[in-house]
Amino acid sequence: MPFSFVTDSVETRSQARAGRIATAHGEVLTPAFMPVGTAGSVKSLTPDELREAGADILLANTYHLWLRPGSETVRGLDGLHRFMGWSGAILTDSGGFQIMSLAPLCKVRDEGVEFRSHLDGSALKLTPEKAIRIQDDLGTDIAMSLDQLIDMPAPPARVREAVDRTVAWAARGLEERDRLRAEGRGTMALFGINQGGTVAEERRRCFEMLGAMPFDGFALGGLWVGEDRSVGLERVEEDCARFPADKPRYLMGVGHPVDVIEAVARGVDMMDCVLPTRNARRGTVFVSSGRLVVKNAAYANDPRPLDPDCDCYTCRKFSRAYLRHLFAAGELLGMRLASIHAVHHMITLTRRARAAIIERRFAEFRAAFLERFASGETLAPPAPAAG
Amino acid sequence: MPFSFVTDSVETRSQARAGRIATAHGEVLTPAFMPVGTAGSVKSLTPDELREAGADILLANTYHLWLRPGSETVRGLDGLHRFMGWSGAILTDSGGFQIMSLAPLCKVRDEGVEFRSHLDGSALKLTPEKAIRIQDDLGTDIAMSLDQLIDMPAPPARVREAVDRTVAWAARGLEERDRLRAEGRGTMALFGINQGGTVAEERRRCFEMLGAMPFDGFALGGLWVGEDRSVGLERVEEDCARFPADKPRYLMGVGHPVDVIEAVARGVDMMDCVLPTRNARRGTVFVSSGRLVVKNAAYANDPRPLDPDCDCYTCRKFSRAYLRHLFAAGELLGMRLASIHAVHHMITLTRRARAAIIERRFAEFRAAFLERFASGETLAPPAPAAG
């Protein structure tokens, strides 16, 4: 099995750590931000652009690819890497999150999740075993266990039930991978997902069981779903303190630059989020000094790049004035150029954090980053509130 | 003035010719297909992708850029080349075609065209002088005279009036460029547009007047607006026979591969059309063997590139199955990859025609191209007609 994880350096004044994950599709440097390629493409971008932006790993959504074009179709075309032309590593989610948030008429039972396709209404069922088979069909490097998500806040009994089911499903997923391996397949790594939502005691209880299972890494699920940032970060700190030091830790669904740095400070190695690229397609990008709304009229004649501190393709070649024009005119190129910056910005942020950890100056890096991000320097003043 | 045109080779068995246009932004090889960057971007593509596809000249629409972001804004940002990051040559149209086809309440008078902006309804007027000034603000390499278009068929008196007005406007445009040059501006080349629609006698009469004016090149206007291909090609043949041999000839709005090769055979040097890229964004591309409808279910598992004979980025890297999936899923990357192929395909077609002309084998090239284009080889069979 080609999967391994080593930590190069751990901060002494925080839990931040720098590491490397080896996969059959190259090395992944951590902390890592994973751009999201929902349906087999990171929206509007080519694999080469992702490489140029520094990406060494992408996340793809099992639910979307299972429904369309179908995991067996992808397998027949030699797997997702070949299908989408991406030679780096791929992590797939289990499909559970999308089913529980997108699919209508979703019913969760011990056996699995019954739901209807959001595309054609057909009745489908995802079990923990099926989730593993589909991810193997896709040819992923890192698969995720099926877990049960619940909306928070929720009654204690409901949280408890979801934790127990998540643990049972985790064990069944591992067994299914064993069966696949007996068939000469299932080479992918498999991560377990810790649940319990924002309830500290349930997360502790969940990991008492999950942590005993032979997963290749552990994820933090059920966070960043509406709770205060401080609550989420407390749960991250507690989970990371319990997770084993020799396995990667993946915080699911986190992508705001401030959250990323704060999570890294608490010991998280991997993150993913559609936020930076979704915002970018709508004309808002993160830059060193905060959040820039590209369409703002103040940029109509601004010859500066989106972020004067950035060396991405977009910032090397194009002005705010041009980007603003593209968004005003509804030109697709605007979404692309903003997306290129967005991916590059997030990956550069984690790379800089990594360098700071290795050079024992992460605390200074974190303080400087937060100060600059809050500065608003080089941004247009916020538009006056509508009267 | 940096503009010049030389012919390298003229076919003996047809009127096809190979040439080179020198501009302040590099050399343009002819026959040339010009991708259309309506609002300052060839939809979904970067300047680097256009270069990689072989483009050395783009067309931009004066009407769109004048209205948004404004020609003075573009001038203030050092011109269109800098604004859009394109270092090659740019040809701008006069704005007349867009006004007469897009703008509501358009009134054509001797003085100019009065209309309302399709963006905000504001009342505007474009005169032949203003058309030249705007194109100079944009910093174009090749500007076009304002001409009057009419819907065909039209009463003889109306065609005659449009021809007379076009000729009067052509003279006023040249005078305006002289005034600009006296101010140290107006370095761009200026082409006159021959009119008369599909009426052979009026086109002859138009060029008797227009051909005496000191234009740097001549365009064929008012064709490919609904008439039969054979009628259009007859007018092209007649116009080209009258146009001077030492100036470039530009057939406006032509972009179907068969039309391009047939126009080249009659002596046309330059063409532009949104057809290949607009079709591509909608999921249909021209390939060597005809017209490929990417979304066709027959391609769902097809590992071949769009065009096995093509070496564009898309065809080197991605399968029909992946492209079909992207279109089915509504992914922006599908539009991009299809557009890259579309531009590369048209430019490669004109480059191959050029090589054939120089090597004295254009007749064979033309016959082989037409036969293969009609073959449908490698394409999916057409879908059965709806019952």
Side-chain angles (χ1 to χ4, degrees):
Chain A
M1 303 306 135
F3 185 86
S4 72
F5 175 66
V6 292
T7 44
D8 293 325
S9 186
V10 180
E11 255 274 315
T12 45
R13 289 168 296 170
S14 75
Q15 300 306 313
R17 50 196 219 160
R20 280 170 289 130
I21 298 171
T23 78
H25 292 92
E27 192 169 67
V28 176
L29 300 177
T30 66
F33 175 80
M34 301 183 281
V36 180
T38 302
S41 91
V42 175
K43 292 193 189 305
S44 88
L45 303 182
T46 62
D48 293 295
E49 285 166 336
L50 294 165
R51 269 288 184 211
E52 194 189 322
D56 48 25
I57 184 168
L58 304 181
L59 181 144
N61 288 132
T62 290
Y63 170 78
H64 286 93
L65 292 165
W66 175 30
L67 264 55
R68 186 173 56 198
S71 47
E72 284 168 22
T73 296
V74 174
R75 190 176 179 211
L77 291 158
D78 297 325
L80 186 56
H81 295 82
R82 176 72 181 274
F83 184 59
M84 66 183 287
W86 171 248
S87 58
I90 295 177
L91 180 148
T92 44
D93 61 8
S94 69
F97 181 82
Q98 263 78 25
I99 290 171
M100 298 176 211
S101 58
L102 281 183
L105 304 173
C106 165
K107 277 182 199 152
V108 181
R109 307 184 199 280
D110 287 342
E111 167 64 11
V113 195
E114 291 168 26
F115 64 99
R116 289 191 178 272
S117 158
H118 77 289
L119 295 178
D120 62 8
S122 57
L124 292 165
K125 185 161 81 172
L126 187 67
T127 63
E129 292 82 5
K130 178 90 181 167
I132 300 299
R133 293 249 158 203
I134 295 170
Q135 293 178 80
D136 188 60
D137 278 346
L138 296 174
T140 192
D141 296 295
I142 304 175
M144 302 299 295
S145 261
L146 186 64
D147 61 332
Q148 184 185 356
L149 293 140
I150 48 170
D151 290 331
M152 296 300 297
R158 199 162 141 62
V159 181
R160 189 171 179 86
E161 182 192 62
V163 162
D164 290 338
R165 196 170 273 136
T166 292
V167 170
W169 287 358
R172 284 166 57 189
L174 278 167
E175 285 161 18
E176 187 68 11
R177 188 178 61 165
D178 287 343
R179 278 187 287 272
L180 276 169
R181 287 187 171 178
E183 298 169 22
R185 299 175 54 184
T187 54
M188 75 265 196
L190 181 57
F191 283 20
I193 302 178
N194 200 40
Q195 270 294 353
T198 52
V199 183
E201 171 55 22
E202 285 296 329
R203 297 190 75 88
R204 186 197 59 73
R205 196 175 70 83
C206 189
F207 198 73
E208 268 178 15
M209 300 178 275
L210 202 72
M213 299 181 193
F215 284 110
D216 302 299
F218 291 98
L220 298 87
L223 296 173
W224 267 259
V225 290
E227 75 278 12
D228 281 353
R229 171 179 286 162
S230 61
V231 173
L233 289 174
E234 272 177 40
R235 295 299 89 80
V236 167
E237 192 163 345
E238 295 156 2
D239 273 16
C240 286
R242 283 184 204 107
F243 283 12
D246 61 349
K247 289 184 177 166
R249 304 160 179 165
Y250 160 33
L251 176 58
M252 306 176 85
V254 165
H256 187 288
V258 171
D259 293 335
V260 165
I261 294 305
E262 292 300 331
V264 166
R266 286 158 178 84
V268 166
D269 303 306
M270 307 164 74
M271 279 154 288
D272 78 285
C273 193
V274 296
L275 178 79
T277 42
R278 180 177 288 164
N279 276 355
R281 292 196 304 281
R282 294 170 181 173
T284 299
V285 291
F286 294 121
V287 297
S288 313
S289 59
R291 193 167 154 277
L292 188 147
V293 181
V294 184
K295 268 193 175 181
N296 194 321
Y299 302 127
N301 297 289
D302 192 335
R304 290 176 296 176
L306 290 179
D307 188 344
D309 296 339
C310 179
D311 65 349
C312 79
Y313 175 74
T314 303
C315 289
R316 280 186 281 115
K317 296 253 185 173
F318 303 97
S319 64
R320 292 173 178 182
Y322 184 58
L323 269 286
R324 182 194 183 258
H325 165 66
L326 293 177
F327 274 100
E331 288 287 336
L332 294 173
L333 185 58
M335 292 200 259
R336 272 188 70 185
L337 295 179
S339 296
I340 287 174
H341 169 78
V343 170
H344 185 278
H345 183 76
M346 294 307 298
I347 292 173
T348 301
L349 180 63
T350 52
R351 287 285 189 278
R352 287 181 180 160
R354 187 176 198 279
I357 295 164
I358 291 172
E359 294 161 16
R360 312 279 170 191
R361 53 175 180 76
F362 178 75
E364 294 77 6
F365 167 82
R366 176 184 175 188
F369 160 77
L370 291 172
E371 186 185 344
R372 176 123 176 89
F373 193 82
S375 72
E377 201 193 312
T378 81
L379 300 183
Chain B
M1 303 308 135
F3 185 86
S4 71
F5 175 65
V6 292
T7 45
D8 293 324
S9 187
V10 179
E11 256 274 315
T12 44
R13 288 167 299 169
S14 76
Q15 300 305 312
R17 49 197 220 159
R20 282 170 288 131
I21 299 172
T23 78
H25 293 92
E27 193 169 66
V28 176
L29 300 178
T30 65
F33 176 80
M34 300 183 281
V36 180
T38 303
S41 91
V42 175
K43 291 193 191 304
S44 88
L45 302 182
T46 62
D48 292 295
E49 285 166 336
L50 295 164
R51 269 290 184 210
E52 194 189 322
D56 48 24
I57 184 167
L58 304 181
L59 181 142
N61 288 132
T62 291
Y63 171 78
H64 286 92
L65 292 166
W66 175 31
L67 263 55
R68 185 173 57 197
S71 47
E72 284 168 24
T73 295
V74 174
R75 190 176 182 213
L77 290 158
D78 298 325
L80 186 56
H81 295 83
R82 177 72 181 273
F83 185 58
M84 66 183 287
W86 171 248
S87 59
I90 294 177
L91 179 149
T92 44
D93 61 9
S94 68
F97 181 81
Q98 263 78 25
I99 290 171
M100 298 176 211
S101 57
L102 281 183
L105 305 172
C106 166
K107 278 182 198 154
V108 181
R109 306 183 199 281
D110 286 342
E111 168 64 10
V113 194
E114 290 168 26
F115 64 100
R116 289 191 178 272
S117 158
H118 77 290
L119 296 179
D120 63 7
S122 59
L124 292 166
K125 185 162 81 171
L126 187 67
T127 64
E129 292 83 5
K130 178 90 180 165
I132 300 298
R133 293 250 159 201
I134 295 170
Q135 293 178 82
D136 188 60
D137 280 344
L138 296 175
T140 192
D141 296 294
I142 303 174
M144 302 299 296
S145 261
L146 186 64
D147 61 332
Q148 184 184 357
L149 293 140
I150 48 169
D151 291 330
M152 297 299 296
R158 197 162 144 60
V159 182
R160 190 172 178 86
E161 182 192 62
V163 162
D164 291 338
R165 195 171 274 137
T166 292
V167 171
W169 286 359
R172 284 166 57 189
L174 278 167
E175 285 161 19
E176 188 66 12
R177 187 177 63 164
D178 287 343
R179 278 187 287 271
L180 276 169
R181 288 187 171 178
E183 297 168 23
R185 298 177 53 184
T187 54
M188 76 265 196
L190 182 56
F191 283 20
I193 302 177
N194 200 41
Q195 270 295 354
T198 52
V199 183
E201 171 54 22
E202 284 297 327
R203 296 191 75 87
R204 187 197 58 72
R205 196 175 70 83
C206 189
F207 199 72
E208 267 178 15
M209 301 178 275
L210 202 72
M213 299 181 193
F215 284 110
D216 302 298
F218 291 98
L220 298 88
L223 297 174
W224 266 259
V225 289
E227 75 277 12
D228 282 351
R229 173 178 284 163
S230 60
V231 173
L233 289 174
E234 271 177 41
R235 296 298 90 78
V236 168
E237 191 163 345
E238 294 155 4
D239 272 18
C240 285
R242 282 183 204 107
F243 282 14
D246 62 348
K247 290 185 177 165
R249 303 159 180 167
Y250 161 32
L251 176 58
M252 306 176 85
V254 165
H256 187 288
V258 170
D259 293 336
V260 165
I261 294 305
E262 292 300 330
V264 166
R266 286 159 179 81
V268 166
D269 304 306
M270 307 164 75
M271 278 154 287
D272 78 285
C273 193
V274 295
L275 178 79
T277 43
R278 180 178 288 165
N279 275 357
R281 291 196 306 281
R282 294 171 181 173
T284 299
V285 291
F286 293 121
V287 296
S288 313
S289 59
R291 194 167 153 276
L292 187 148
V293 180
V294 184
K295 267 194 176 182
N296 194 322
Y299 301 128
N301 297 288
D302 193 334
R304 290 176 297 176
L306 290 179
D307 188 343
D309 296 338
C310 178
D311 65 349
C312 79
Y313 176 74
T314 303
C315 289
R316 279 186 282 116
K317 297 251 185 174
F318 303 97
S319 64
R320 292 174 177 182
Y322 185 58
L323 270 287
R324 182 193 183 259
H325 166 66
L326 293 177
F327 275 99
E331 287 288 335
L332 294 171
L333 184 59
M335 292 200 258
R336 272 188 69 186
L337 295 180
S339 296
I340 287 173
H341 169 78
V343 169
H344 184 277
H345 184 77
M346 294 307 298
I347 292 172
T348 301
L349 179 63
T350 52
R351 287 286 188 278
R352 287 180 180 160
R354 187 175 198 279
I357 296 164
I358 290 173
E359 294 161 16
R360 312 278 169 195
R361 54 175 180 77
F362 178 75
E364 293 78 5
F365 167 83
R366 176 183 175 187
F369 159 78
L370 291 172
E371 186 185 344
R372 176 125 176 87
F373 193 82
S375 72
E377 201 193 312
T378 83
L379 299 184

